[in-house]
Amino acid sequence: MININTKFFTLTVFMTIALLNPAFAEKAVVIVPSAPLIADDGTLDNEALYGTATNIILSDDFLSSDYALIEMSYGYTPTELKNVRIVSDNEAEEWQNSITHQVIAPFADVQAEAKTQSYPPLITLPRGAYLKIGEVNSNDERYYEAELFGGVKGWIRKPLVRPLRKWNAEGEEQTRKNLVEDAKLYLGTSYRWGGLTPEGVDCSGLVHMIYKLNGLEVFRNSPPKYGFPIALKHVHGTSDDTHTLETLKSVKPGDTIHWSGHVGIYIGNGKFIHANGSDFNTTVASLISGDEGYREDLGRPSTINTFGTAFPDEPEKLTVKEFYATPFTSGDITGYRFYVRVEGYAPTKAVIYPEGKDQTDSAIILNEGVEISRFVYSARNSEKAPSYFYSKPGKYKPAVQLINDEGFRPSGKIISSDIFEMPETIEVIF
């Protein structure tokens, strides 16, 4: 038996080698109800649902493990080989093109015969699993013919499945209603870190599945991210750090809410649904003080990093809505940390001009990943925000420009904000 830490150290090395060599890439289809995807530390990172066709990375040199790397939208993650079937490009494409439905019930049996007594089921699939639906049973119209990957056929009850949805095919208003109704399907689901099914779901798994059931692939983690179709939306609260229905009037059902390490989906009237680790449940909560389900740690505007929407008013525009700095001391030196709030698809780069927009020598350039995330999503007093120490006294007018050069954009062109000057002047005194 391979020690788990040794196995995942080896997997990390394997990932590095394999990702640099495209010859390792193959196709695969998930053939278990949900395939656990394992993080480097051995914990559950995510799940891949039955019928998902994907790229997978294998290596003849990697014989000490039963694992391979399955490609998810955010990258490659290890799963056991027994969870997938290796297929050709043509087989993967044919299967993807043949899929007609997703399971919409929490769980659905595919039975050998079209009758309630048929047991055991051929397979029990979770909500979101893919399959091919055929004709109605001629003897019992409550059943569809269900074809699994590989051609095995059985029967499934009609209410347990739903035709695949194409994103926004019914227009924005109805799509938003669909998102809210699908969010409610998960109420009462237990919390499971890395979970994606009604057996257990985490906060980003919940939001990911709500959109996936409606034909849109959003990021499988709590912050919005460049390259995915959720645009940032800046929403102010009241002066006493609360939200009201008036302050939330620009937030619409189906929009997302992002905190540090947490995400939920707005359902209207100040309410949101989230899978949370506090009470290990998926529940309705409120952003409005005094409402049932209000949590101060989530409801105060200062605790919310950003709202998000799949329906931005200006999809090809980045707009700085707020740019500010807070002082801090390090020994005898005073520095400033910078924070920004923006509307539009998440930026990939930022340029901060601490000494003014004409002082390019002092520019702080933030690139994709952690740097830009800490700038855009940090709370006002976060020590992770980018900082700058001024070398001489004076009055300074910092500025910033944000850039999106690989995000989700209809035209594919690079989007940049204007250079935005901080409204307040920083006065440095030594």
Side-chain angles (χ1 to χ4, degrees):
M1 179 179 291
I2 300 173
N3 177 275
I4 191 71
N5 291 328
T6 302
K7 176 178 285 187
F8 284 97
F9 170 76
T10 310
L11 271 170
T12 301
V13 175
F14 170 50
M15 288 173 70
T16 303
I17 297 171
L19 290 173
L20 294 174
N21 189 343
F24 287 100
E26 302 281 352
K27 295 290 184 180
V29 175
V30 178
I31 57 171
V32 295
S34 60
L37 305 178
I38 309 302
D40 288 345
D41 61 1
T43 59
L44 183 67
D45 181 59
N46 193 8
E47 295 175 295
L49 303 184
Y50 182 90
T52 300
T54 181
N55 290 324
I56 196 166
I57 293 180
L58 303 166
S59 170
D60 292 337
D61 299 327
F62 192 69
L63 302 177
S64 60
S65 173
D66 296 325
Y67 283 75
L69 299 174
I70 186 170
E71 185 182 27
M72 305 304 289
S73 59
Y74 56 86
Y76 285 90
T77 308
T79 192
E80 291 185 89
L81 278 170
K82 67 182 182 181
N83 296 329
V84 299
R85 186 172 299 168
I86 309 302
V87 298
S88 67
D89 288 353
N90 287 340
E91 287 175 303
E93 185 177 359
E94 287 175 6
W95 169 247
Q96 279 188 304
N97 291 338
S98 72
I99 293 168
T100 60
H101 286 63
Q102 282 180 289
V103 173
I104 195 59
F107 299 95
D109 287 341
V110 178
Q111 299 169 283
E113 299 179 81
K115 58 182 183 180
T116 55
Q117 298 90 342
S118 180
Y119 186 82
L122 299 176
I123 193 170
T124 299
L125 299 176
R127 180 180 294 132
Y130 298 105
L131 70 169
K132 178 181 177 181
I133 292 298
E135 300 297 324
V136 173
N137 185 275
S138 58
N139 295 319
D140 189 338
E141 294 185 354
R142 296 175 299 173
Y143 286 86
Y144 283 129
E145 182 183 68
E147 183 175 332
L148 303 173
F149 177 75
V152 175
K153 294 182 179 180
W155 301 94
I156 195 166
R157 290 194 295 118
K158 284 183 177 181
L160 306 184
V161 294
R162 185 172 76 189
L164 291 178
R165 282 180 172 170
K166 183 178 180 181
W167 173 250
N168 203 27
E170 300 176 272
E172 179 179 343
E173 183 177 357
Q174 185 58 47
T175 298
R176 287 185 177 279
K177 289 179 181 178
N178 292 343
L179 290 168
V180 171
E181 290 306 308
D182 283 352
K184 292 178 180 178
L185 295 176
Y186 288 88
L187 288 175
T189 300
S190 180
Y191 184 88
R192 175 185 289 177
W193 182 274
L196 208 64
T197 77
E199 278 191 344
V201 68
D202 64 11
C203 64
S204 59
L206 171 69
V207 173
H208 180 83
M209 282 307 303
I210 291 166
Y211 276 89
K212 194 178 187 72
L213 288 169
N214 287 278
L216 190 67
E217 191 88 7
V218 301
F219 187 48
R220 174 60 168 97
N221 216 324
S222 55
K225 188 177 180 179
Y226 53 83
F228 288 84
I230 294 294
L232 313 182
K233 178 185 287 190
H234 184 68
V235 180
H236 277 294
T238 65
S239 59
D240 59 351
D241 198 22
T242 61
H243 269 306
T244 65
L245 291 180
E246 178 63 22
T247 66
L248 293 168
K249 65 183 180 181
S250 67
V251 186
K252 298 180 182 180
D255 285 346
T256 54
I257 315 171
H258 303 265
W259 299 266
S260 295
H262 192 51
V263 62
I265 189 160
Y266 190 71
I267 61 172
N269 296 316
K271 304 289 196 302
F272 64 95
I273 290 176
H274 66 142
N276 67 98
S278 297
D279 57 11
F280 304 104
N281 197 3
T282 303
T283 58
V284 175
S286 179
L287 296 171
I288 299 177
S289 179
D291 279 0
E292 182 180 359
Y294 174 74
R295 276 177 48 178
E296 187 177 9
D297 59 329
L298 299 179
R300 288 182 290 113
S302 61
T303 68
I304 298 171
N305 290 346
T306 184
F307 289 82
T309 181
F311 299 98
D313 293 332
E314 298 180 287
E316 296 193 8
K317 188 174 182 180
L318 267 175
T319 304
V320 176
K321 302 297 288 188
E322 188 175 7
F323 178 47
Y324 54 92
T326 58
F328 70 98
T329 57
S330 179
D332 296 330
I333 305 175
T334 298
Y336 285 83
R337 293 193 179 96
F338 294 96
Y339 309 84
V340 72
R341 293 293 178 264
V342 60
E343 287 192 354
Y345 291 113
T348 56
K349 296 179 176 65
V351 182
I352 305 171
Y353 301 96
E355 297 185 10
K357 63 182 181 181
D358 297 326
Q359 303 301 313
T360 56
D361 290 345
S362 68
I364 302 171
I365 300 174
L366 307 177
N367 292 306
E368 303 163 6
V370 174
E371 285 185 320
I372 192 71
S373 295
R374 288 175 174 173
F375 181 43
V376 178
Y377 305 130
S378 290
R380 185 176 289 268
N381 295 316
S382 171
E383 297 179 0
K384 296 180 179 180
S387 60
Y388 186 79
F389 292 94
Y390 290 91
S391 60
K392 56 186 178 182
K395 293 182 178 181
Y396 297 94
K397 196 79 166 175
V400 65
Q401 184 176 34
L402 301 172
I403 302 163
N404 182 320
D405 61 4
E406 65 169 83
F408 184 91
R409 304 179 305 280
S411 68
K413 70 178 183 181
I414 294 175
I415 301 173
S416 298
S417 72
D418 295 332
I419 295 178
F420 182 89
E421 285 190 313
M422 189 177 294
E424 298 82 16
T425 299
I426 291 177
E427 185 170 4
V428 177
I429 301 174
F430 289 164

